[in-house]
């Protein structure tokens, strides 16, 4: 799945976010959009996801592919447990879904927390549940919007390893303003400024 953004234009709340923006992304691996808060990274990600429409231009290569979006907020359902939040995106039997959800929670370091509701978990733990849910859902394209902001450094590195190991054939687009995250996870980093979004330079991991 090669993703192409071509002559994209987008205004948001009267501000020009994208102006004739073009970029072609690879079929797999990790691409990072790195830049300061407010430069337009999240709007660009939302346009790729189809959550916001371009004013003009096109985004090709997304149609027909499964997208898993990990938002800045955990967006967990507060009335069900951590395990049930992960199981909600699975499509097997209730028992199979519960067992698989427990396995995903174990991979992100939450064994023993399965029966807790979101309000019983710390912010970092809720974010890990959201990561487990995104991985359980799977996809050809993972959109990761500041996914590690609530995690300490050691946990972050562990989760980065889990994501890489469990999504080998997917394209991951990471949005961050943390240079260490970009360095740890990305194969290609686009350093952005804006708005409107501009690519200042590109860093490719050797």
């Amino acid at each position: 799945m090669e993703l192409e953004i071509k002559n994209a234009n987008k205004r948001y709340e009267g501000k020009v976010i994208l102006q004739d923006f073009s970029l072609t992304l690879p079929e797999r691996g990790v691409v990072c959009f790195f830049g300061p808060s407010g430069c337009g990274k999240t709007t660009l990600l939302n346009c790729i996801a189809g959550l916001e429409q371009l004013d003009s231009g096109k985004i090709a290569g997304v149609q027909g592919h499964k997208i898993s979006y990990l938002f800045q907020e955990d967006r967990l359902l507060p009335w069900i447990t951590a395990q049930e939040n992960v199981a909600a995106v699975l499509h097997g039997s209730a028992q199979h879904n519960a067992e698989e959800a427990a396995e995903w929670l174990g991979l992100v370091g939450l064994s023993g927390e399965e029966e807790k509701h979101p309000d019983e978990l710390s912010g970092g733990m809720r974010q890990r549940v959201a990561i487990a849910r995104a991985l359980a859902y799977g996809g050809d394209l993972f959109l990761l919007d500041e996914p590690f902001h609530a995690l300490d450094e050691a946990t972050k590195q562990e989760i980065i390893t889990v994501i890489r190991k469990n999504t080998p054939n997917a394209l991951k687009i990471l949005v961050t303003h943390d240079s260490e995250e970009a360095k740890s996870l990305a194969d290609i980093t686009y350093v952005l400024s804006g708005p409107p979004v501009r690519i200042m330079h590109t860093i490719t991991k050797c």
Side-chain angles (χ1 to χ4, degrees), residues 3-12 15-19 21 25 33 40-63 67 69 71 141 143 145 173 175 197:
L3 192 155
E4 183 183 16
I5 306 167
K6 189 171 182 179
N7 298 95
N9 289 279
K10 174 69 178 179
R11 283 181 174 268
Y12 185 77
K15 186 181 294 184
V16 177
I17 305 298
L18 299 174
Q19 188 172 49
F21 184 83
L25 301 179
F33 293 152
K41 304 185 302 294
T42 295
T43 298
L44 176 57
L45 211 63
N46 286 340
C47 289
I48 292 171
L51 298 178
E52 296 183 28
Q53 299 301 310
L54 296 175
D55 299 327
S56 63
K58 70 173 185 177
I59 297 176
V62 178
Q63 297 78 9
I67 300 173
Y69 199 143
F71 296 90
L141 173 62
L143 303 178
D145 191 3
I173 302 177
V175 161
V197 175

Side-chain angles (χ1 to χ4, degrees), residues 70-72 127 131 144-151 163 174-176 181:
L70 186 59
F71 296 90
Q72 292 183 29
Q127 193 66 15
I131 291 167
L144 312 173
D145 191 3
E146 304 280 1
F148 313 120
H149 64 89
L151 306 182
I163 290 174
L174 169 69
V175 161
T176 185
E181 285 181 14

Side-chain angles (χ1 to χ4, degrees), residues 56-139:
S56 63
K58 70 173 185 177
I59 297 176
V62 178
Q63 297 78 9
H65 292 280
K66 187 176 182 181
I67 300 173
S68 188
Y69 199 143
L70 186 59
F71 296 90
Q72 292 183 29
E73 315 84 24
D74 59 68
R75 302 201 179 191
L76 300 179
L77 301 176
W79 56 87
I80 58 177
T81 65
Q83 187 170 0
E84 289 167 336
N85 265 282
V86 177
V89 302
L90 301 172
H91 300 290
S93 67
Q95 180 177 348
H96 176 272
N97 291 351
E99 291 172 354
E100 185 174 342
E103 290 176 6
W104 284 111
L105 288 171
L107 283 176
V108 298
L110 291 177
S111 293
E113 311 295 341
E114 296 89 349
E115 298 305 315
K116 290 185 178 179
H117 286 73
D119 64 357
E120 299 176 282
L121 301 171
S122 69
M125 293 167 78
R126 290 195 299 272
Q127 193 66 15
R128 280 186 279 162
V129 175
I131 291 167
R133 181 179 58 186
L135 291 171
Y137 180 69

Side-chain angles (χ1 to χ4, degrees), residues 148 151-161 178 181:
F148 313 120
L151 306 182
D152 62 61
E153 192 59 36
T155 303
K156 183 188 300 184
Q157 293 304 319
E158 291 171 4
I159 297 299
I160 285 172
T161 299
D178 184 320
E181 285 181 14

